[in-house]
Every structure is written in C-alpha cells, then in structure tokens.
Amino acid sequence: PSRSMVHSVASDAEEAAGAGRQGEDRVADQLAKALDDRWVLYRGYKNARGEIDGVLAGPDGVVAIEIKAYAGIISADGDHWHRQKVDNYGNPRERGPVADGTGRSPSVQLNEIANALEAFLRRQRAIVAVRRVVVFAHPRSRLEALNALTVDAVGTSAKTVLAVLRQQTVTLSPDDQARIERLIERDHAYFDRRRGKR
C-alpha cells in the first residue's frame, strides 16, 4: 500500500525565530563558559516597555542584552539601523532596516526596556546603571559603519558583553547583588503575568 507523506516547510517567520533562538543560545553558552556562578542571566526579560533577550546580573552590575540573528552587513547611525543582505558568494543584495515587529531599531528597543528597568531599580532604592549591549549572533553577521551609537556596545559574540563588564568600575556587595536580582525577578514576573492575561 502506498503511504501518504506530509511535508512541511518552515515559513520565513519560523526560520527567523529558529535562527533567533540559536543566536540567543549561542550567546548564553558563551557567557556560561566565561562567567562563574555569581552571575545570573535572565532570558526573555519583560517589563512595561516590552521584552529583550537577556538581563545579566552579577558582582559587576547589570547588563541588558538584545540579540539579533541576521546574516549580512549591519550598519547604524544613531538609532537608525540597516542590513545589507549578501548572497552565498558575498555579493551584496537588498538593503533594509533592522527593526522589531513594532518598527523599533535594536537600540531603541533595548534602551526603552533598559531605561524602564533602571528607573524601577532606582524607585526601589537600588541605584545601579544598566549597561546596554546589542549582539548580532549569526555566524555571517558583519558590522560596518557604526556611528553615534546610543548603546554601550555592539558586537557579534558574548565577548562584547564581557568587554563591557571589564569596563565596570563598581562592584556590588553580595547583599546588593541578591537584592537587585530579586527585584529583576519581581519586575519580570509582574509583567509576564500581565502579558499572559491579554
């Protein structure tokens, strides 16, 4: 008897989501290998301004991380980001903006959420700067012409996050660090519940 076979082909959105998860996993693995157990990475952190891929908290402070898995040549001028796609031979193809589903560039998305987190921590009397890093984690991402950046750093691996940590001049006490981690967890849990009810 013949068998019927069902073939499914991933949509562009599904492929992009899969690439995004792989990029996030790659960066998380790199951070896990480089940092000790005093550090906590909150993946998929949410607050009133939206969601970012990670918030890293530890003895040297807090870093908000947005991870993109776009192949091609990435450029930025302030909060305006673009990607030049290239084919398998490295030839340039179409050029377009780099933005999330609501049209925010990576820096706008990251800064809105990091600013809200920083303000929340300040209201709770946990005064700590939230550093901001955008990572383009696709193996074929290349950075060019990054001008007037509004985030602390942009890179293609977790090494960029580690470089930002090395620049930190403040060391948190274990008690301050634990309190900040509890506040981040509380803030995320609150907005995660609210988004789930919508």
Side-chain angles (χ1 to χ4, degrees):
S2 64
R3 287 188 192 166
S4 64
M5 299 184 99
V6 176
H7 294 279
S8 65
V9 177
S11 69
D12 289 344
E14 289 169 331
E15 284 184 16
R21 277 190 297 280
Q22 288 175 356
E24 292 169 27
D25 291 344
R26 192 176 303 115
V27 171
D29 290 345
Q30 291 168 349
L31 290 172
K33 288 176 184 166
L35 299 171
D36 59 31
D37 61 1
R38 297 174 300 160
W39 290 89
V40 178
L41 176 63
Y42 301 96
R43 294 180 71 175
Y45 168 78
K46 296 179 181 114
N47 68 21
R49 301 300 299 165
E51 181 177 348
I52 55 173
D53 296 310
V55 173
L56 181 67
D60 296 329
V62 178
V63 180
I65 307 165
E66 180 57 25
I67 302 166
K68 300 295 184 191
Y70 297 148
I73 303 165
I74 309 298
S75 61
D77 188 9
D79 285 324
H80 303 283
W81 294 67
H82 291 90
R83 171 174 62 145
Q84 176 82 53
K85 292 183 182 180
V86 294
D87 65 18
N88 291 336
Y89 303 102
N91 299 314
R93 295 293 179 218
E94 72 259 27
R95 177 178 155 89
V98 176
D100 69 3
T102 62
R104 297 180 299 179
S105 70
S107 55
V108 169
Q109 179 187 5
L110 182 58
N111 283 326
E112 285 181 0
I113 296 164
N115 288 343
L117 173 58
E118 199 171 75
F120 168 73
L121 293 173
R122 191 176 303 117
R123 286 192 305 274
Q124 303 302 315
R125 293 183 177 78
I127 311 299
V128 62
V130 177
R131 305 296 298 270
R132 297 110 197 269
V133 178
V134 177
V135 178
F136 287 90
H138 194 284
R140 291 189 295 140
S141 292
R142 197 169 84 221
L143 304 176
E144 283 187 5
L146 302 176
N147 300 310
L149 291 174
T150 61
V151 294
D152 293 297
V154 178
T156 57
S157 73
K159 289 179 182 178
T160 307
V161 178
L162 300 172
V164 167
L165 291 176
R166 284 193 295 276
Q167 296 169 359
Q168 295 286 83
T169 57
V170 176
T171 300
L172 299 173
S173 72
D175 289 343
D176 287 340
Q177 180 183 335
R179 182 166 180 266
I180 287 169
E181 288 171 6
R182 285 192 304 272
L183 289 169
I184 291 170
E185 290 169 14
R186 187 177 97 191
D187 191 42
H188 168 76
Y190 174 77
F191 287 102
D192 193 40
R193 281 192 306 272
R194 283 189 62 188
R195 287 176 186 275
K197 290 178 184 177
R198 289 182 188 167

